[in-house]
Amino acid sequence: MKQGTFWSWVVFIAGAIYFFLPLIATFEFSMRARRGVYSFDAYRSVLADPQFRDTLSYSVVLALLTIVLGLAIVTPTAFWVRLKLPRLRPYIEFITLLPLVIPPIVIVFGYIRLYNTASYLPLTGSLRGTDFLLMCGYATLSLPYMYRAVDTGLRSIDLVTMTEAAQSLGASWTTIILRLVLPNVLVAILSGAFLTFAIVIGEYVLAALLNRPAFGPYMVWMGGNRAYEPAALAVIAFAITWACMGLIQLLTRFQKHTSKKR
Amino acid sequence: MAFLQLKSLIKSFGPVRVVQEFNLDVARGEFVSLLGPSGCGKTTVLRMVAGFESPTSGQIIIDGADVTGLRPSQRNVGLVFQSYALFPNLTVAGNIAFGLKVARKPSDEIATRVKDMLKLIGLPDLGERYPFELSGGQQQRVALARALAVRPRVLLLDEPLSALDAKIRVSLRDQIRDIQRELGITTIFVTHDQEEALSISDRVVVMNKGRADQIGTPHEIYNKPKTEFVANFVGTLNAFTAVVTHAAKGTIKVNDTAITVPHLREMQLTNGAQVKLGLRPEALHVGKQPAPATNLPATVEDVHFLGSVIRLRVRLGDEVMSIDTFNRSTEKPPVIGGKTTISLNPTDLILIQ
Ligand SMILES: Nc1ncnc2c1ncn2[C@@H]1O[C@H](COP(=O)(O)OP(=O)(O)OP(=O)(O)O)[C@@H](O)[C@H]1O
Ligand SMILES: [Mg+2]
């Protein structure tokens, strides 16, 4: 018992060093823009850069749209598969895992081939069309996380029996989805949403190849052209991602009825 | 006319018929159990009444109206599941109020009804708890209250006690019966536990392979089983074959012993025919009894001490039979291998068709 505690601390500390040391080093470096003293000059310069604000807000808007699209595809699918087509689950799960195996570059080249200006659906011909393609690409990339999150949420409740109990009490499908299913999987849906957000904010390949002004390409461009600012940018990006993770934790804590005895 | 009528229900899943020609009339306020082994179609019958399965053919009539084509949400039938199936995001009171809210009842009426239901199930102070904060037995009582709160026309319970441990199972089944009597609600109760079915039902339907083998009061089912399946499934039965030696007198021969069974006279048997007879363990006695009882020599093969009852296995020629005798603290139990005489009353013999 004592021994177990000791070793888990060792592993924890080793892990913490592995994760935090580079972060601390980056942070320390980002503070050295002014010779001799620590300062926030690099941060000031980043935040003052109009390109930073433009690319970040572009990515945030796109992330939110991606979340809506992803949820609209994933939630009904997962619900219906669990309720009526449980035999299809392994296949659906396999499909949702494909984006982890197929590199984004393949997806984006496929898009460009299929939807170029010479095609029947020339989406790349307009900026909005390209944005739409980019959003679809992001939704695809986030599919494994989104589907898993929602499906796990649905698994933690006895969906079939609960639905039948509600139906026998006179409830309609809308009532069942709004009053029972959504409240019970809300935390799962939100954690899927935040993961998607984090992915979209840092994504590079899709945005760069579709040539859209997203945050990912901006970070890469900064890295090639400045000294201290990229470090500051990295810390800011980390902070955004971590804030998302923190929110997931917070929300999980808020929903007290999910703390089931098992 | 019966309040709930199931007429010639048939249900097939693909090529497999799981319910065949099922007929049942349930009177208003009656408590009927469906009893049968696993996979015999009890749940399927119940789900057809609830509206979750549509019958391949046949009719379901509630209070004179055909509901066969109605959706579950239109039937006003209460359901209680083995797994409780409470809504985890709602409190106990929220669960009980759910059906009333769906029906858009005024909020003061809902509050009163919820309070009444909580009192009815004996949990007046637990309204604000969440389901995960309750024991299994409490959760099942809340599930019962939730189903009853909307005043359903029929209450359906699918093995509601199977997930609970033995003590609570017995006390909760009595409580379910009390509540059912108090509200006078027409109820179908599914179980595979014969003791449960016999102890709380007005009538029992014994199901076998999708059919109703016998429908009757617990007393009829136990004492006058109509088929071998019913006789074996409900209680313990000693079955043996005998040869009819004098049909007009009702005389048969078992292991060279002639027994005259009065109620066999009306059965129109022929001399020399083989008949299958059954005898409950409690109908056999250890020791001699005067006529008209029949006395038979036997050897004790096994002794099981069950508390209030001692169950013996005795050998009579080729047959081995079970005997139940009351345990009396002043008497020594029989010893294994000992010779004894057992006696039976011919009127206790059950003829199995
Ligand atoms: N949806 C379904 N599809 C195919 N077969 C089914 C379906 N539902 C039930 N069955 C089959 O119908 C038969 C009866 O099932 P049912 O659930 O009614 O039995 P049961 O008497 O309730 O058994 P148990 O005591 O185990 O609950 C079983 O053989 C089962 O495999
Ligand atoms: Mg069943």
Side-chain angles (χ1 to χ4, degrees):
Chain A
M1 176 71 209
K2 262 258 143 55
Q3 189 110 34
T5 326
F6 172 74
W7 281 112
S8 45
W9 274 107
V10 169
V11 172
F12 175 74
I13 290 168
I17 291 172
Y18 180 81
F19 285 114
F20 283 103
L21 211 56
L23 194 62
I24 293 167
T26 309
F27 180 64
E28 197 264 354
F29 182 70
S30 72
M31 306 278 284
R32 284 209 247 167
R34 198 177 297 173
R35 198 173 292 270
V37 287
Y38 283 139
S39 72
F40 285 101
D41 281 9
Y43 291 86
R44 222 163 281 144
S45 141
V46 165
L47 293 177
D49 185 355
Q51 248 197 309
F52 167 79
R53 268 174 281 146
D54 291 348
T55 54
L56 184 62
S57 51
Y58 177 83
S59 283
V60 167
V61 170
L62 219 56
L64 294 179
L65 291 175
T66 304
I67 288 167
V68 173
L69 178 67
L71 280 179
I73 296 170
V74 164
T75 316
T77 311
F79 178 63
W80 206 246
V81 168
R82 281 237 164 237
L83 201 62
K84 301 275 177 185
L85 307 164
R87 251 177 274 165
L88 287 187
R89 251 190 70 225
Y91 303 104
I92 301 279
E93 246 172 42
F94 177 74
I95 290 171
T96 62
L97 281 178
L98 285 180
L100 291 181
V101 194
I102 300 171
I105 194 140
V106 174
I107 296 173
V108 73
F109 274 122
Y111 280 174
I112 292 171
R113 268 197 71 97
L114 271 175
Y115 304 112
N116 61 33
T117 41
S119 71
Y120 291 111
L121 201 62
L123 284 173
T124 54
S126 67
L127 289 183
R128 287 289 151 263
T130 316
D131 289 343
F132 177 74
L133 266 189
L134 188 56
M135 179 174 75
C136 292
Y138 285 159
T140 311
L141 289 189
S142 65
L143 197 60
Y145 310 98
M146 197 65 131
Y147 185 83
R148 225 134 294 261
V150 173
D151 196 51
T152 310
L154 291 177
R155 180 168 46 203
S156 70
I157 54 179
D158 183 356
L159 198 67
V160 176
T161 325
M162 213 175 77
T163 307
E164 289 183 351
Q167 281 179 309
S168 73
L169 289 168
S172 62
W173 283 112
T174 346
T175 313
I176 292 172
I177 292 185
L178 292 181
R179 299 266 285 277
L180 299 175
V181 176
L182 275 184
N184 277 305
V185 298
L186 193 62
V187 168
I189 285 180
L190 283 172
S191 58
F194 285 125
L195 278 173
T196 306
F197 190 82
I199 291 168
V200 171
I201 294 294
E203 207 284 329
Y204 171 75
V205 176
L206 287 182
L209 287 175
L210 286 174
N211 198 22
R212 297 301 295 141
F215 192 60
Y218 171 71
M219 281 201 288
V220 174
W221 177 84
M222 274 292 234
N225 294 282
R226 303 282 182 83
Y228 300 102
E229 281 84 348
L233 208 50
V235 172
I236 292 173
F238 251 111
I240 294 172
T241 318
W242 279 41
C244 287
M245 299 298 166
L247 276 177
I248 297 175
Q249 286 299 314
L250 207 67
L251 281 163
T252 319
R253 199 102 13 113
F254 262 124
Q255 202 181 29
K256 54 182 168 183
H257 61 257
T258 50
S259 49
K260 263 192 198 146
K261 284 189 281 188
R262 286 245 164 221
Chain B
M1 194 177 59
F3 184 69
L4 169 66
Q5 293 172 285
L6 311 186
K7 289 188 173 173
S8 310
L9 284 185
I10 294 178
K11 178 69 190 177
S12 307
F13 290 110
V16 192
R17 267 205 185 172
V18 297
V19 175
Q20 336 203 16
E21 276 297 314
F22 192 88
N23 288 289
L24 177 65
D25 283 358
V26 185
R28 193 188 289 269
E30 195 179 16
F31 192 115
V32 173
S33 289
L34 304 185
L35 173 66
S38 186
C40 72
K42 307 179 295 286
T43 299
T44 308
V45 170
L46 208 70
R47 289 173 61 81
M48 286 195 280
V49 179
F52 294 113
E53 305 282 2
S54 49
T56 308
S57 71
Q59 269 185 316
I60 298 161
I61 291 164
I62 300 179
D63 204 5
D66 189 337
V67 301
T68 320
L70 291 187
R71 274 182 272 126
S73 54
Q74 301 168 321
R75 293 198 183 188
N76 196 14
V77 161
L79 252 182
V80 176
F81 303 85
Q82 179 180 339
S83 59
Y84 326 135
L86 294 177
F87 307 134
N89 58 315
L90 300 178
T91 59
V92 167
N95 268 279
I96 298 175
F98 185 85
L100 301 166
K101 281 192 180 147
V102 166
R104 297 182 198 285
K105 295 270 190 258
S107 57
D108 49 338
E109 188 186 328
I110 295 180
T112 328
R113 185 83 59 84
V114 168
K115 222 170 131 205
D116 291 348
M117 295 315 296
L118 282 169
K119 208 152 73 210
L120 186 70
I121 57 168
L123 303 173
D125 305 319
L126 299 190
E128 294 315 306
R129 293 246 190 120
Y130 279 92
F132 75 90
E133 296 171 303
L134 302 179
S135 72
Q138 289 170 333
Q139 288 189 49
Q140 194 58 295
R141 279 187 273 169
V142 174
L144 181 67
R146 179 180 68 180
L148 290 172
V150 292
R151 306 241 163 100
R153 295 186 292 178
V154 177
L155 178 65
L156 307 173
L157 305 118
D158 192 356
E159 309 208 15
L161 307 171
S162 299
L164 304 168
D165 51 38
K167 270 250 166 70
I168 299 178
R169 215 180 303 162
V170 173
S171 75
L172 193 50
R173 84 179 180 212
D174 294 341
Q175 209 177 347
I176 289 177
R177 179 59 158 151
D178 288 345
I179 290 173
Q180 185 270 338
R181 277 212 183 96
E182 189 175 330
L183 302 181
I185 186 168
T186 312
T187 302
I188 299 185
F189 182 94
V190 164
T191 179
H192 59 251
D193 182 332
Q194 40 131 340
E195 186 195 319
E196 214 165 88
L198 295 179
S199 65
I200 58 174
S201 315
D202 291 318
R203 282 190 303 153
V204 177
V205 181
V206 184
M207 285 185 68
N208 178 23
K209 298 192 185 133
R211 283 178 204 283
D213 258 30
Q214 187 173 358
I215 303 178
T217 63
H219 192 264
E220 283 166 3
I221 296 280
Y222 188 82
N223 294 310
K224 295 200 173 66
K226 274 199 186 143
T227 65
E228 185 169 7
F229 175 81
V230 175
N232 277 313
F233 190 75
V234 180
T236 310
L237 192 80
N238 298 305
F240 50 92
T241 47
V243 180
V244 180
T245 52
H246 200 309
K249 273 198 200 161
T251 309
I252 54 165
K253 208 167 181 186
V254 188
N255 285 337
D256 302 328
T257 310
I259 305 176
T260 299
V261 186
H263 57 278
L264 285 189
R265 273 177 225 147
E266 304 106 62
M267 296 292 179
Q268 281 158 18
L269 302 165
T270 48
N271 286 344
Q274 293 223 335
V275 287
K276 206 157 207 183
L277 295 170
L279 199 59
R280 297 288 182 196
E282 66 273 17
L284 280 163
H285 300 273
V286 179
K288 280 202 170 77
Q289 283 190 120
T294 304
N295 296 306
L296 302 159
T299 316
V300 179
E301 288 215 325
D302 213 347
V303 181
H304 291 283
F305 188 73
L306 305 176
S308 62
V309 166
I310 298 174
R311 174 160 293 182
L312 308 176
R313 306 273 298 159
V314 300
R315 177 171 287 280
L316 303 100
D318 297 337
E319 314 278 354
V320 176
M321 297 206 184
S322 295
I323 305 181
D324 284 353
T325 61
F326 282 115
N327 169 31
R328 290 191 186 79
S329 56
T330 49
E331 277 174 28
K332 277 228 169 90
V335 287
I336 295 173
K339 299 260 183 252
T340 181
T341 301
I342 60 166
S343 56
L344 63 93
N345 218 320
T347 49
D348 288 332
L349 282 167
I350 301 165
L351 181 72
I352 301 166
Q353 270 103 351

mmCIF file of all heavy atoms in Angstrom, chain B residues 13 18 37-44 53 159 192, ligand 1:
data_model
loop_
_atom_site.group_PDB
_atom_site.id
_atom_site.type_symbol
_atom_site.label_atom_id
_atom_site.label_comp_id
_atom_site.label_asym_id
_atom_site.label_seq_id
_atom_site.Cartn_x
_atom_site.Cartn_y
_atom_site.Cartn_z
ATOM 1 N N PHE B 13 -40.621 -13.387 -34.668
ATOM 2 C CA PHE B 13 -39.427 -12.624 -35.032
ATOM 3 C C PHE B 13 -38.798 -13.374 -36.185
ATOM 4 O O PHE B 13 -38.237 -14.452 -35.992
ATOM 5 C CB PHE B 13 -38.446 -12.526 -33.876
ATOM 6 C CG PHE B 13 -38.925 -11.644 -32.759
ATOM 7 C CD1 PHE B 13 -39.288 -12.195 -31.552
ATOM 8 C CD2 PHE B 13 -39.021 -10.273 -32.930
ATOM 9 C CE1 PHE B 13 -39.734 -11.385 -30.519
ATOM 10 C CE2 PHE B 13 -39.456 -9.461 -31.901
ATOM 11 C CZ PHE B 13 -39.818 -10.017 -30.699
ATOM 12 N N VAL B 18 -42.494 -16.711 -31.295
ATOM 13 C CA VAL B 18 -42.179 -16.733 -29.872
ATOM 14 C C VAL B 18 -43.438 -16.654 -29.015
ATOM 15 O O VAL B 18 -43.412 -17.008 -27.844
ATOM 16 C CB VAL B 18 -41.180 -15.625 -29.485
ATOM 17 C CG1 VAL B 18 -39.867 -15.839 -30.181
ATOM 18 C CG2 VAL B 18 -41.713 -14.260 -29.806
ATOM 19 N N PRO B 37 -40.480 -20.403 -17.805
ATOM 20 C CA PRO B 37 -39.016 -20.405 -17.831
ATOM 21 C C PRO B 37 -38.477 -19.310 -18.742
ATOM 22 O O PRO B 37 -39.231 -18.700 -19.497
ATOM 23 C CB PRO B 37 -38.679 -21.784 -18.399
ATOM 24 C CG PRO B 37 -39.869 -22.164 -19.198
ATOM 25 C CD PRO B 37 -41.048 -21.549 -18.522
ATOM 26 N N SER B 38 -37.184 -19.060 -18.678
ATOM 27 C CA SER B 38 -36.551 -18.030 -19.486
ATOM 28 C C SER B 38 -36.769 -18.303 -20.971
ATOM 29 O O SER B 38 -36.639 -19.435 -21.424
ATOM 30 C CB SER B 38 -35.060 -17.997 -19.164
ATOM 31 O OG SER B 38 -34.463 -16.935 -19.831
ATOM 32 N N GLY B 39 -37.135 -17.268 -21.699
ATOM 33 C CA GLY B 39 -37.286 -17.401 -23.138
ATOM 34 C C GLY B 39 -38.631 -17.911 -23.595
ATOM 35 O O GLY B 39 -38.817 -18.185 -24.780
ATOM 36 N N CYS B 40 -39.605 -18.037 -22.677
ATOM 37 C CA CYS B 40 -40.896 -18.587 -23.084
ATOM 38 C C CYS B 40 -41.824 -17.520 -23.667
ATOM 39 O O CYS B 40 -42.922 -17.825 -24.109
ATOM 40 C CB CYS B 40 -41.577 -19.292 -21.917
ATOM 41 S SG CYS B 40 -42.188 -18.164 -20.666
ATOM 42 N N GLY B 41 -41.412 -16.265 -23.654
ATOM 43 C CA GLY B 41 -42.212 -15.232 -24.305
ATOM 44 C C GLY B 41 -42.972 -14.309 -23.365
ATOM 45 O O GLY B 41 -43.808 -13.527 -23.818
ATOM 46 N N LYS B 42 -42.675 -14.354 -22.074
ATOM 47 C CA LYS B 42 -43.399 -13.504 -21.113
ATOM 48 C C LYS B 42 -43.206 -12.021 -21.425
ATOM 49 O O LYS B 42 -44.168 -11.258 -21.522
ATOM 50 C CB LYS B 42 -42.893 -13.771 -19.685
ATOM 51 C CG LYS B 42 -42.899 -15.220 -19.266
ATOM 52 C CD LYS B 42 -42.366 -15.398 -17.859
ATOM 53 C CE LYS B 42 -40.911 -15.032 -17.663
ATOM 54 N NZ LYS B 42 -39.945 -16.006 -18.219
ATOM 55 N N THR B 43 -41.936 -11.633 -21.562
ATOM 56 C CA THR B 43 -41.649 -10.231 -21.837
ATOM 57 C C THR B 43 -42.274 -9.792 -23.158
ATOM 58 O O THR B 43 -42.797 -8.684 -23.270
ATOM 59 C CB THR B 43 -40.128 -10.008 -21.874
ATOM 60 O OG1 THR B 43 -39.595 -10.352 -20.598
ATOM 61 C CG2 THR B 43 -39.778 -8.575 -22.181
ATOM 62 N N THR B 44 -42.232 -10.677 -24.150
ATOM 63 C CA THR B 44 -42.801 -10.328 -25.450
ATOM 64 C C THR B 44 -44.290 -10.037 -25.327
ATOM 65 O O THR B 44 -44.790 -9.057 -25.894
ATOM 66 C CB THR B 44 -42.539 -11.461 -26.454
ATOM 67 O OG1 THR B 44 -41.146 -11.770 -26.435
ATOM 68 C CG2 THR B 44 -42.936 -11.058 -27.842
ATOM 69 N N GLU B 53 -43.910 -3.853 -28.996
ATOM 70 C CA GLU B 53 -43.863 -4.820 -30.089
ATOM 71 C C GLU B 53 -45.269 -4.854 -30.669
ATOM 72 O O GLU B 53 -46.245 -4.821 -29.915
ATOM 73 C CB GLU B 53 -43.519 -6.230 -29.588
ATOM 74 C CG GLU B 53 -42.243 -6.353 -28.786
ATOM 75 C CD GLU B 53 -40.997 -6.348 -29.629
ATOM 76 O OE1 GLU B 53 -41.111 -6.204 -30.868
ATOM 77 O OE2 GLU B 53 -39.905 -6.448 -29.053
ATOM 78 N N GLU B 159 -40.581 -8.694 -14.213
ATOM 79 C CA GLU B 159 -39.604 -9.179 -13.240
ATOM 80 C C GLU B 159 -39.052 -8.044 -12.376
ATOM 81 O O GLU B 159 -37.835 -7.864 -12.299
ATOM 82 C CB GLU B 159 -38.458 -9.908 -13.950
ATOM 83 C CG GLU B 159 -38.979 -10.954 -14.912
ATOM 84 C CD GLU B 159 -38.025 -12.103 -15.135
ATOM 85 O OE1 GLU B 159 -37.082 -12.246 -14.350
ATOM 86 O OE2 GLU B 159 -38.250 -12.872 -16.077
ATOM 87 N N HIS B 192 -40.269 -15.434 -13.291
ATOM 88 C CA HIS B 192 -39.965 -16.836 -13.532
ATOM 89 C C HIS B 192 -39.873 -17.588 -12.206
ATOM 90 O O HIS B 192 -39.489 -18.735 -12.152
ATOM 91 C CB HIS B 192 -38.689 -16.998 -14.362
ATOM 92 C CG HIS B 192 -37.480 -16.388 -13.711
ATOM 93 N ND1 HIS B 192 -36.882 -15.260 -14.191
ATOM 94 C CD2 HIS B 192 -36.800 -16.737 -12.617
ATOM 95 C CE1 HIS B 192 -35.877 -14.940 -13.404
ATOM 96 N NE2 HIS B 192 -35.802 -15.821 -12.439
HETATM 97 N N1 LIG C 1 -36.366 -8.405 -30.715
HETATM 98 C C1 LIG C 1 -36.231 -9.727 -30.824
HETATM 99 N N2 LIG C 1 -35.744 -10.288 -31.948
HETATM 100 C C2 LIG C 1 -35.628 -11.626 -32.076
HETATM 101 N N3 LIG C 1 -35.945 -12.503 -31.122
HETATM 102 C C3 LIG C 1 -36.431 -12.022 -29.965
HETATM 103 C C4 LIG C 1 -36.603 -10.613 -29.757
HETATM 104 N N4 LIG C 1 -37.102 -10.430 -28.520
HETATM 105 C C5 LIG C 1 -37.245 -11.658 -27.985
HETATM 106 N N5 LIG C 1 -36.843 -12.616 -28.849
HETATM 107 C C6 LIG C 1 -36.888 -14.056 -28.615
HETATM 108 O O1 LIG C 1 -38.178 -14.389 -28.194
HETATM 109 C C7 LIG C 1 -38.156 -15.387 -27.196
HETATM 110 C C8 LIG C 1 -38.958 -14.925 -26.001
HETATM 111 O O2 LIG C 1 -38.316 -13.826 -25.415
HETATM 112 P P1 LIG C 1 -38.866 -13.104 -24.124
HETATM 113 O O3 LIG C 1 -37.949 -11.992 -23.829
HETATM 114 O O4 LIG C 1 -40.300 -12.789 -24.309
HETATM 115 O O5 LIG C 1 -38.702 -14.238 -23.039
HETATM 116 P P2 LIG C 1 -38.989 -14.165 -21.473
HETATM 117 O O6 LIG C 1 -40.020 -15.192 -21.191
HETATM 118 O O7 LIG C 1 -39.279 -12.786 -21.064
HETATM 119 O O8 LIG C 1 -37.616 -14.652 -20.890
HETATM 120 P P3 LIG C 1 -36.808 -14.142 -19.595
HETATM 121 O O9 LIG C 1 -37.418 -14.824 -18.417
HETATM 122 O O10 LIG C 1 -35.422 -14.623 -19.858
HETATM 123 O O11 LIG C 1 -36.921 -12.653 -19.556
HETATM 124 C C9 LIG C 1 -36.693 -15.641 -26.876
HETATM 125 O O12 LIG C 1 -36.317 -16.844 -27.502
HETATM 126 C C10 LIG C 1 -35.980 -14.472 -27.481
HETATM 127 O O13 LIG C 1 -34.724 -14.865 -27.952
#
